[in-house]
Amino acid sequence: MRQPQRDPWAFLPRVTGQALAWLSLFLLTSCGLFASRDGLGTGYYLPLTVHVRMAPIIGEAQLTYQDVCGTAKVLPIGTMLTTAIKRKSGLVFEKVMLEEKAGVVVDGYEDVSLGLLNADVNAYRKANKSYPATVEIGLDFAFTTADGTVLYNKKLKSMAKGEVETTDTSCDVTGLDSVAQAAVDKVTDGMAKQLGTSAKIATFSEARASGTAAASSSTASAPPSPLAAAAVQAAPAVAAQSSTPSSPPPAPPQTTPSTPKAAPAVPDVEPATITFRAIILDENRNQLLHTGEVFSVEIEIKNEGPADASGLEIQVSGTPELIDQIPDVLSVGDLAAGGAKRLSVEGKIGTVKEETQAELVLTMRSRSPLDRLPSSKKFVVAMKPDTVPEATASPVDVDQLPKQALKVKQPKAVGIAIGVGQFRESGVQRVRHAAHDAEVVAAYWQGVVGISADRVRRLTDSHALKGDLTEVFEDWLLKQADSGTVAYVYLSGRGTVDASTGAVSIVPFDGTPSSSARLYSLRRLNEALARSPVQFAIVILDLSLESTAVKDGVSPVSPVWEQTGQGTEKIMWMVGNRSVQEAHPYDLGQHGLFTYEILNGLGGPADFNQDGIVLAGELCTYAKGRVFKAARERFGNEQEPLCIPLPGKGAEVRLQPVSRLK
């Protein structure tokens, strides 16, 4: 029987359907297969011509960090930011311009300014190794149509983590530029995504493409940036006070004659609140300034208020030999709410004829009378005519455990070493060497004081949150201790002094001096030690201190170190800095000055009676005298340590052996 003839093209509909299905799947996944090299899944290419306006601070942006030797360094990232912003904006809009062009109709304006800028480099000594580093970058950006309608306004912050490299022959740190580039890419990717997915901008672009939105004139003036417009809400009030009938404000709104009287309501809007910190770094790193020596002043300014600040500047005054080659006025410029800036200025010491103390005074000024400004900051430094030989002599390397020291037999002792040199909030001033101090002290707890490794706790930087301090003092210590335990506690970093009571508190990694809820008070530490079953507790504090805000006309109370309550007689406090001031670092020794002398004393110099045993009382007395003398000779000012209880008070804790030499 003859088979019916098949149509040779009958399979095409089925094949074509399969091909279309595969093609559809390919197109749906192509965004993932061909991802943009900029980290975005795809470009948005909204049909708009946009003028990108970058604030001058973008091109001037630089990261400030410290190299292995503690010297301040800067990494310019303005070109990175400018290039990335232009490239990512080109993925959002079809046509992007950085400058106005004659005859070109602009649909809108993308404004970009710099917010937070911070680099954390944790390299602390010369070695062939890698250290962790983080870079945080914040951007403020907005999109405004040509007629001045703000469609989008946002602040964005991104962080990148990586590693930097060091060697054992140089102070240099390499690799931070790669971490910075990663942070730039992340924050600009985020900006592009926010703009590209904005519903308002998308609706506007569709309306422009369809012709339902009016085109702007090529001769129309550009609208102001909304990033700067929010700076001074009180401007209408100032204008109302200064206006006269002969110069009325342009285009007044329909209002009643009593409208100008409504100006006093403006103070309900909180103004900008400016804070700043500064540090002087000398070329020789010996805390003495000599004729012809180059030095730098590193300044960090932060706006902690809800309003933007404009026209900030710092007035410089002081001893002529110190400030002659520094500009009289340092321009800060505008500073957005929550933003921070860092300045670095170099100077050179003039001719110093005799040993003297020089002063540097920095005073913040603002264009707006409503901005809240900090009080002037005065720095006192020592200047000498010629280089002092003993000032540049090599210090004892206290990082190496003293060879002559023998472990004190203390099987029940516990050791806690805490160092917080950097903080989660970038506005909190760092403390040089604090984390390294704690690491070395913990090694001394084991190798010199004789505490077993499993009974030593070490908390540094991001591992020293308030919760960590609470856990180690109020939980872990109680579980380890009994009536035969001696607790050794070391704390290095920043502390605050309550201006009304004098109470001292420690600033953990997640704390800020202005927030009492995020501090750990010494009173709380004293109570934890007093109620624990320990026989003795020896607490060593190397803290830079600052006072909380005080009311006008009220003098702040000095720090109160004496603790009260049952059990305090078994606690000894070795306070490295008893006053509200920065505790001096000893950069040649790569430690805080007080910590350096404590470690050096444990190696033998504190054994005053030469009996082969260093007692707690001897150690504190030795460090106190050495720090007091060194602070006056090297820094030209005082840092006075304190030992509690004082000698002759009958406290047995002062007789506790802390190191053995024979």
Side-chain angles (χ1 to χ4, degrees), residues 252-320:
Q254 294 182 353
T255 181
T256 63
S258 61
T259 298
K261 296 181 179 180
V266 174
D268 289 341
V269 179
E270 289 291 326
T273 301
I274 307 302
T275 62
F276 79 99
R277 305 177 188 277
I279 187 171
I280 300 176
L281 301 175
D282 62 310
E283 183 180 26
N284 294 334
R285 313 302 293 170
N286 62 358
Q287 291 82 47
L288 282 172
L289 296 174
H290 307 280
T291 299
E293 183 174 356
V294 176
F295 67 96
S296 66
V297 182
E298 309 295 329
I299 309 171
E300 181 184 62
I301 309 99
K302 186 173 182 181
N303 182 0
E304 297 181 343
D308 295 347
S310 61
L312 295 176
E313 61 183 23
I314 298 175
Q315 183 179 21
V316 180
S317 60
T319 306

Side-chain angles (χ1 to χ4, degrees), residues 329-640:
V329 176
L330 306 177
S331 177
V332 178
D334 300 342
L335 189 56
K341 283 188 178 182
R342 290 176 174 84
L343 301 180
S344 179
V345 59
E346 282 196 352
K348 189 175 183 179
I349 301 300
T351 301
V352 181
K353 297 181 179 180
E354 60 182 2
E355 182 177 343
T356 184
Q357 290 188 12
E359 290 187 354
L360 173 68
V361 181
L362 304 177
T363 304
M364 182 69 67
R365 300 190 303 198
S366 172
R367 183 183 302 159
S368 171
L370 300 176
D371 289 345
R372 294 176 179 171
L373 302 178
S375 58
S376 298
K377 295 189 182 296
K378 182 171 71 173
F379 300 85
V380 180
V381 295
M383 295 199 307
K384 293 188 177 182
D386 300 310
T387 301
V388 181
E390 61 269 21
T392 56
S394 298
V396 176
D397 185 4
V398 295
D399 284 10
Q400 303 298 321
L401 297 183
K403 296 179 179 179
Q404 68 273 26
L406 303 173
K407 290 185 180 181
V408 180
K409 295 181 180 180
Q410 300 189 83
K412 293 188 176 182
V414 296
I416 299 170
I418 300 173
V420 187
Q422 55 184 335
F423 304 87
R424 178 180 295 168
E425 299 292 335
S426 61
V428 182
Q429 185 174 349
R430 299 182 188 180
V431 180
R432 294 211 301 278
H433 311 307
H436 179 54
D437 284 347
E439 295 282 356
V440 177
V441 168
Y444 270 67
W445 286 165
Q446 298 177 51
V448 177
V449 180
I451 307 173
S452 61
D454 62 329
R455 295 176 67 82
V456 174
R457 287 289 299 272
R458 181 178 327 174
L459 305 175
T460 59
D461 290 340
S462 59
H463 298 287
L465 307 175
K466 181 179 180 180
D468 296 322
L469 271 63
T470 302
E471 184 271 334
V472 75
F473 290 129
E474 301 174 22
D475 183 27
W476 181 82
L477 178 60
L478 292 177
K479 294 177 180 177
Q480 304 296 322
D482 60 26
S483 60
T485 297
V486 177
Y488 295 86
V489 178
Y490 171 84
L491 293 127
S492 175
R494 184 160 297 282
T496 64
V497 181
D498 189 298
S500 58
T501 66
V504 181
S505 296
I506 304 158
V507 183
F509 176 79
D510 54 342
T512 60
S514 59
S515 175
S516 59
R518 296 165 69 180
L519 304 175
Y520 192 90
S521 68
L522 290 191
R523 177 189 57 79
R524 184 170 177 177
L525 171 59
N526 180 76
E527 291 175 350
L529 294 173
R531 68 172 176 265
S532 70
V534 299
Q535 180 185 9
F536 295 125
I538 297 172
V539 183
I540 303 172
L541 302 175
D542 193 355
L543 301 175
S544 291
L545 298 177
E546 57 185 270
S547 179
T548 59
V550 295
K551 296 181 180 179
D552 293 340
V554 179
S555 298
V557 177
S558 298
V560 175
W561 297 105
E562 294 280 357
Q563 304 294 325
T564 59
Q566 185 177 4
T568 55
E569 69 280 351
K570 65 182 181 181
I571 305 172
M572 181 173 187
W573 299 85
M574 301 185 188
V575 180
N577 170 35
R578 68 183 301 173
S579 304
V580 176
Q581 67 177 62
E582 292 295 303
H584 292 304
Y586 181 37
D587 291 328
L588 284 175
Q590 293 291 297
H591 286 281
L593 178 59
F594 182 67
T595 300
Y596 175 84
E597 297 299 353
I598 287 287
L599 296 174
N600 194 32
L602 284 168
D607 182 16
F608 289 127
N609 59 5
Q610 298 295 304
D611 64 350
I613 298 176
V614 176
L615 305 179
E618 287 181 312
L619 179 62
C620 191
T621 301
Y622 168 81
K624 176 182 177 181
R626 294 281 296 179
V627 169
F628 188 78
K629 181 176 183 291
R632 300 189 70 176
E633 292 179 352
R634 298 187 185 126
F635 302 95
N637 63 352
E638 295 183 358
Q639 176 179 328
E640 185 178 359

Side-chain angles (χ1 to χ4, degrees), residues 126-151:
K126 293 181 180 179
N128 295 317
K129 63 182 300 186
S130 300
Y131 291 96
T134 60
V135 173
E136 292 180 281
I137 300 178
L139 290 181
D140 301 345
F141 54 95
F143 181 84
T144 308
T145 62
D147 63 3
T149 303
V150 179
L151 298 183

